[in-house]
Amino acid sequence: MKFFVDTADVEAIAELNDLGMVDGVTTNPSLILKSGRDIIEVTKEICSIVSGPVSAEVVALKAEDMIAEGRKLAEIAPNIAVKVPLTWDGLKTCKVLSSEGKMVNVTLCFSANQALLAAKAGATFISPFIGRLDDINLDGLELISDIREIYDNYGFDTQILAASIRTANHVTQCALIGADVMTAPPAVIKAMASHVLTDKGLDQFMKDWAKTGQKII
Ligand code: G3P
């Protein structure tokens, strides 16, 4: 499973990238706001760090305007994936931009039918939002599973990019289901390294080591 990092925080991206944990990056208007940076400048900087797909989202609502924005965003770097919302205009935009050879990430997906439409429109990535479905007492992981089955039934090559991941357990479940990609905030990726028994075991080793009175260096 590929790991994308869901942030526009350049320092956090660079830290994870140095560890080989970053296969791509996803941003959205809320994350650009959080970064406090200009969208073009920060996206360019991210693309200079990460060689995999970097999603940059359009903000227009009409297809014609979305297409123009998508083309401008795609000029930032060759690894830009233009992110469009799963609306009818977004699907039109997806079809046009993917036909031009641009990567397109169709976002804000909350149903299997929406995912089916995105694949038909030539999406490179479909982004189903797990956490936001869980927030309203629906099952986000079940959606990932349904899309996996549907795409496999028909051999669609659109990649399932599990998004709105809130916990390390979401990552495990997405990997078990067979999501192609997961995108998570840096804190969730770091939380994957934590285990209470690791902490407990290390604590014991440190205590016993101190008792030996030895040093390695
Ligand atoms: O990738 C989409 C993500 O940024 C949304 O996450 O936690 O705001 O639902 P969240």
Side-chain angles (χ1 to χ4, degrees):
M1 182 168 61
K2 284 178 251 181
F3 275 26
F4 287 5
V5 59
D6 197 30
T7 186
D9 178 336
V10 175
E11 276 182 25
I13 292 167
E15 184 194 355
L16 289 167
N17 193 53
D18 286 348
L19 285 172
M21 301 292 178
V22 180
D23 300 304
V25 171
T26 49
T27 66
N28 61 38
S30 305
L31 293 171
I32 296 295
L33 172 69
K34 202 170 163 191
S35 77
R37 307 247 337 246
D38 171 81
I39 183 171
I40 304 291
E41 281 175 20
V42 74
T43 307
K44 193 179 271 185
E45 194 174 340
I46 294 169
C47 289
S48 73
I49 298 169
V50 174
S51 54
V54 173
S55 289
E57 188 161 343
V58 301
V59 291
L61 297 176
K62 294 235 178 319
E64 192 186 339
D65 303 325
M66 280 189 200
I67 292 164
E69 286 183 354
R71 285 178 179 147
K72 180 164 181 191
L73 291 171
E75 281 172 10
I76 295 172
N79 55 329
I80 286 289
V82 179
K83 206 171 177 190
V84 302
L86 212 155
T87 58
W88 202 247
D89 284 77
L91 291 169
K92 284 184 192 168
T93 304
C94 176
K95 181 68 184 158
V96 170
L97 296 181
S98 61
S99 302
E100 292 174 0
K102 296 174 175 59
M103 289 188 285
V104 181
N105 176 1
V106 181
T107 189
L108 289 167
C109 170
F110 294 96
S111 78
N113 277 343
Q114 288 181 316
L116 198 43
L117 290 172
K120 300 286 282 180
T124 315
F125 302 103
I126 181 69
S127 290
F129 276 32
I130 297 172
R132 292 192 193 184
L133 281 169
D134 291 353
D135 286 345
I136 57 163
N137 283 325
L138 294 174
D139 190 340
L141 289 166
E142 188 174 88
L143 175 60
I144 302 293
S145 189
D146 287 349
I147 299 171
R148 180 73 283 154
E149 189 172 340
I150 289 168
Y151 280 8
D152 289 349
N153 280 346
Y154 299 100
F156 286 118
D157 55 14
T158 298
Q159 296 178 52
I160 301 173
L161 197 173
S164 185
I165 282 184
R166 307 270 177 78
T167 66
N169 187 49
H170 275 157
V171 180
T172 311
Q173 298 308 315
C174 285
L176 285 168
I177 291 165
D180 301 287
V181 191
M182 73 89 196
T183 189
V188 171
I189 296 175
K190 286 188 171 180
M192 291 169 68
S194 299
H195 199 289
V196 65
L197 291 179
T198 305
D199 296 343
K200 194 177 166 200
L202 187 57
D203 188 50
Q204 187 62 50
F205 287 158
M206 292 303 98
K207 283 180 180 146
D208 289 345
W209 181 248
K211 287 180 199 160
T212 70
Q214 298 179 41
K215 283 190 175 158
I216 294 176
I217 293 174

